[in-house]
């Protein structure tokens, strides 16, 4: 900290000048998070930026707006309405916190049941696909729950419901399905999972539930594919999380989790405080947080309505299709994402023997584009891909400009010598392989072996170039 103060305009200029070196948020195609909102909503955000969301007695209208948002989302996800089942929910700082809360509810409810039955309750597990977002790994590690992952295979980059149900046992607190995979945007088959798990539950006398991680797809499927059964229409779906700051169209800092009924949220997880003026129930991992994003979410709901959200999501999907067609015309890429899912395009190079998707991502940065290049999780880690997330502010002209820049990068890299290690792209000595030791021949590597070694090389290179704290 400086010893002395400085003028406010000087402090502003110092920081503003440094921030100029940041990337342009609208060209950050790695992120699902909203980067543009209407000026009127920006004004609402600034006027409420000094309100602490947790002070419900002091800011009762803000609390009411949060409750309205929960109500809207519960209806959107077809929560049952009646005397026996009434949905409950809460606003969070994002889907990570929402998943932690949902996971804790599942764990506590499972533990209580096991205790009542006089059975061991020290080895809970959760079944997911290997494609889950890192917050699921955090939940498992932080709250001591075994994470049982269904491995991926080339061509299938989402959880296989059949394999998932096979992994379920009496210690499984829930099976987590993803509506909109981070890797490819694909929706997992929650309906099939529900049917298979119902059958296994009946055979074994269990009641293993389902949680749907709809962080990305929760604000897409209801508007584009309303007939798709993935939500509370399925009896085993007990809770759903969704990110307001993704396709809920709000700036970073808001998520939601909704439970099917009060019975699915154990009372002992809810705290009551009275030192802020009145008795207030609270179920969050943190305490204080801003009110702005809650208010912004309510603004979007009433400003856009069902019609507005549907129009925006249709437009995003149309722009994703235009980008996909442009990439296919180059003849150089294989599209891995599906048409039915989150509006994004995930694609890999058909030939990675000389140049890789990591080089393309690196070269595109000079045009301002930020595209993530990454390898798939186990057992498809030899597949390296690029991904473009199509948000509301990514229009058709930007899609066309991106394709033209990718074509330019391809031409330039083709003219350069290969940066892939020679030993990874060509041959290995025969004396390193048992089958060919006698002949002492040179053995050409398979395409998969090349892809695996190329991916490993670039992962090491990227790891070495990391700077600063994680």
């Amino acid at each position: 900290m400086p010893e002395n103060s400085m003028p406010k305009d000087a402090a502003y200029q110092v920081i503003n000048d440094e921030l100029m070196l940041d990337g342009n948020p609208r060209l950050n195609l790695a992120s699902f998070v909203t980067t543009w909102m209407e000026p009127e909503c920006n004004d609402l955000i600034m006027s409420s930026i000094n309100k602490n969301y947790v002070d419900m007695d002091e800011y009762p209208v803000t609390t009411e707006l949060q409750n309205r948002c929960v109500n809207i989302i519960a209806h959107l996800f077809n929560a049952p309405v009646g005397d026996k089942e009434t949905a409950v929910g809460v606003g969070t700082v994002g889907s990570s916190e929402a998943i932690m809360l949902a996971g804790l509810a599942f764990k506590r409810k499972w533990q209580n049941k096991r205790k009542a039955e006089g059975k061991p309750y020290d080895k809970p597990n959760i079944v997911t696909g290997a494609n889950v977002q890192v917050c699921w790994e955090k939940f498992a590690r932080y709250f001591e729950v075994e994470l049982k992952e269904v491995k991926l295979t080339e061509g299938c980059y989402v959880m296989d419901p059949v394999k998932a149900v096979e992994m379920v046992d009496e210690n499984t607190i829930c099976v987590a399905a993803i509506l909109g995979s981070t890797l490819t945007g694909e929706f997992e088959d929650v309906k099939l999972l529900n049917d298979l798990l119902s059958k296994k539950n009946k055979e074994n006398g269990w009641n293993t539930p389902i949680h749907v991680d709809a962080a990305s797809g929760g604000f897409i499927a209801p508007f584009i594919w309303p007939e798709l059964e993935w939500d509370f229409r399925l009896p085993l779906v007990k809770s759903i999380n969704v990110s307001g700051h993704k396709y809920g169209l709000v700036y970073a800092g808001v998520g939601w989790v909704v439970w099917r009924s009060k019975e699915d949220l154990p009372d002992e997880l809810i705290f009551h405080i009275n030192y802020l003026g009145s008795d207030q129930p609270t179920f969050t991992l943190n305490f204080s947080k801003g009110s702005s994003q809650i208010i912004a979410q309510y603004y979007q709901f009433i400003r856009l309505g069902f019609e507005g959200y549907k129009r925006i999501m249709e437009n995003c999907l149309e722009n994703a299709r235009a980008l996909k067609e442009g990439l296919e015309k180059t003849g150089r890429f294989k599209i891995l994402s599906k048409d039915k899912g989150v509006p994004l395009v995930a694609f890999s190079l058909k030939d990675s023997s000389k140049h890789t998707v990591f080089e393309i991502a690196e070269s595109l940065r000079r045009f301002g584009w930020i595209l993530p290049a990454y390898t798939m999780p186990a057992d498809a880690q030899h597949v390296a891909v690029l991904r473009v997330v199509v948000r509301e502010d990514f229009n058709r002209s930007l899609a066309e400009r991106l394709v033209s820049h990718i074509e330019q990068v391809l031409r330039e890299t083709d003219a350069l010598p290969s940066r892939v290690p020679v030993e990874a792209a060509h041959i290995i000595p025969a004396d390193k392989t048992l089958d060919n030791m006698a002949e002492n021949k040179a053995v050409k590597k398979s395409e998969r072996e090349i892809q695996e070694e190329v991916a490993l090389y670039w992962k090491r290179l990227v790891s070495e170039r990391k700077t600063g704290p994680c």
Side-chain angles (χ1 to χ4, degrees):
M1 182 180 290
E3 289 293 327
N4 302 310
S5 304
M6 69 169 65
K8 58 185 180 182
D9 54 345
Y12 169 84
Q13 197 63 50
V14 166
I15 299 172
N16 187 63
D17 289 349
E18 269 200 88
L19 290 174
M20 289 173 62
L21 298 175
D22 265 348
N24 184 337
R26 289 189 60 184
L27 298 183
N28 178 10
L29 306 182
S31 178
F32 292 82
V33 176
T34 297
T35 54
W36 179 87
M37 295 187 76
E38 292 176 325
E40 290 79 6
C41 192
N42 290 338
D43 291 342
L44 280 173
I45 288 172
M46 292 309 299
S47 66
S48 58
I49 203 166
N50 58 352
K51 290 182 180 179
N52 189 356
Y53 160 83
V54 80
D55 293 341
M56 300 178 186
D57 196 51
E58 288 80 357
Y59 309 118
V61 175
T62 299
T63 302
E64 173 62 21
L65 296 187
Q66 184 225 219
N67 294 339
R68 291 178 192 174
C69 287
V70 170
N71 194 304
I72 289 169
I73 294 169
H75 279 83
L76 198 63
F77 294 167
N78 294 292
V81 178
D83 296 333
K84 293 184 179 180
E85 291 184 310
T86 302
V88 294
V90 68
T92 62
V93 294
S95 275
S96 291
E97 184 187 8
I99 284 168
M100 303 285 176
L101 298 178
L104 283 171
F106 283 121
K107 182 182 178 183
R108 185 58 59 90
K109 193 166 184 181
W110 174 84
Q111 286 177 326
N112 291 343
K113 183 176 182 294
R114 299 283 289 183
K115 288 178 184 178
E117 295 171 347
K119 297 179 179 178
Y121 54 89
D122 59 332
K123 295 181 179 179
N125 68 66
I126 190 167
V127 176
T128 71
N131 56 314
V132 291
Q133 215 261 2
V134 69
C135 59
W136 284 100
E137 298 177 42
K138 289 182 178 180
F139 166 75
R141 191 177 302 177
Y142 295 167
F143 297 106
E144 299 180 323
V145 176
E146 180 190 359
L147 188 66
K148 299 172 73 172
E149 292 185 336
V150 178
K151 303 303 181 186
L152 309 184
T153 57
E154 185 171 356
C156 181
Y157 305 110
V158 294
M159 180 179 70
D160 182 341
V162 175
K163 293 180 180 178
V165 173
E166 288 174 355
M167 298 175 74
V168 172
D169 58 32
E170 63 179 352
N171 293 320
T172 303
I173 63 174
C174 81
V175 180
I178 303 178
L179 194 78
S181 170
T182 301
L183 304 175
T184 62
E186 189 175 350
F187 293 167
E188 293 183 343
D189 193 340
V190 188
K191 176 69 165 61
L192 178 58
L193 177 65
N194 179 86
D195 295 345
L196 295 173
L197 189 55
S198 294
K199 183 179 179 181
K200 187 163 188 175
N201 281 344
K202 187 176 181 180
E203 291 172 351
N204 294 277
W206 301 337
N207 57 355
T208 307
I210 295 172
H211 174 87
V212 179
D213 180 357
S216 299
F219 283 121
I220 297 171
F223 304 106
I224 306 299
W225 299 287
E227 74 287 349
L228 182 67
E229 293 184 48
W230 63 273
D231 50 22
F232 291 119
R233 285 170 288 183
L234 304 175
L236 289 184
V237 174
K238 302 299 182 182
S239 56
I240 301 173
N241 68 277
V242 65
S243 291
H245 58 222
K246 292 182 180 176
Y247 288 96
L249 307 180
V250 178
Y251 293 137
V254 63
W256 304 92
V257 57
V258 180
W259 287 270
R260 185 185 197 91
S261 68
K262 291 180 180 178
E263 287 68 33
D264 296 310
L265 177 58
D267 289 336
E268 61 262 39
L269 294 178
I270 301 174
F271 292 84
H272 292 265
I273 59 170
N274 61 10
Y275 50 79
L276 292 176
S278 65
D279 180 69
Q280 297 175 10
T282 175
F283 180 41
T284 55
L285 292 182
N286 67 311
F287 194 62
S288 295
K289 69 175 180 181
S291 298
S292 297
Q293 266 64 16
I294 299 290
I295 294 167
Q297 184 73 84
Y298 186 66
Y299 171 89
Q300 293 290 52
F301 283 163
I302 66 170
R303 162 75 175 92
L304 296 172
F306 193 95
E307 176 198 10
Y309 268 93
K310 181 178 181 181
R311 186 173 62 249
I312 289 171
M313 300 312 153
E314 287 175 339
N315 189 55
C316 288
L317 288 166
E318 184 59 37
N319 288 332
R321 278 191 287 269
L323 177 60
K324 172 188 169 185
E325 291 168 2
L327 292 170
E328 286 177 328
K329 287 179 181 177
T330 67
R332 303 286 294 274
F333 298 108
K334 178 182 179 181
I335 306 298
L336 305 181
S337 48
K338 308 294 184 182
D339 290 334
K340 195 170 189 176
V342 177
L344 64 78
V345 183
F347 53 103
S348 62
L349 277 169
K350 291 181 178 178
D351 180 8
S352 298
S353 61
K354 294 183 179 179
H355 299 284
T356 69
V357 293
F358 300 95
E359 288 179 75
I360 294 173
E362 187 178 9
S363 298
L364 285 170
R365 288 226 170 205
R366 78 175 192 269
F367 299 108
W369 302 107
I370 303 172
L371 272 69
Y374 53 88
T375 54
M376 291 292 188
D379 286 327
Q381 58 266 50
H382 62 284
V383 180
V385 302
L386 285 162
R387 188 193 67 208
V388 175
V389 178
V390 177
R391 301 187 301 269
E392 179 188 8
D393 56 352
F394 184 81
N395 56 36
R396 183 68 172 266
S397 62
L398 285 176
E400 293 172 352
R401 180 62 61 89
L402 174 60
V403 171
S404 70
H405 284 159
I406 289 175
E407 289 175 333
Q408 182 177 338
V409 166
L410 288 172
R411 289 193 296 269
E412 292 171 354
T413 53
D414 285 344
L416 296 173
S418 173
R419 291 171 64 180
V420 176
V422 173
E423 64 273 14
H426 292 90
I427 59 173
I428 53 176
D431 57 9
K432 296 289 181 67
T433 63
L434 295 174
D435 294 338
N436 295 279
M437 286 180 74
E439 293 86 353
N440 196 28
K441 295 178 181 177
V443 180
K444 186 174 178 62
K445 287 191 176 181
S446 69
E447 182 181 353
R448 175 161 179 161
E449 288 173 326
I450 293 173
Q451 289 178 332
E452 287 177 343
E453 293 205 25
V454 168
L456 180 61
Y457 168 79
W458 279 95
K459 284 175 74 174
R460 287 173 178 167
L461 183 64
V462 171
S463 178
E464 291 169 359
R465 295 179 64 173
K466 286 181 180 177
T467 58
C470 178

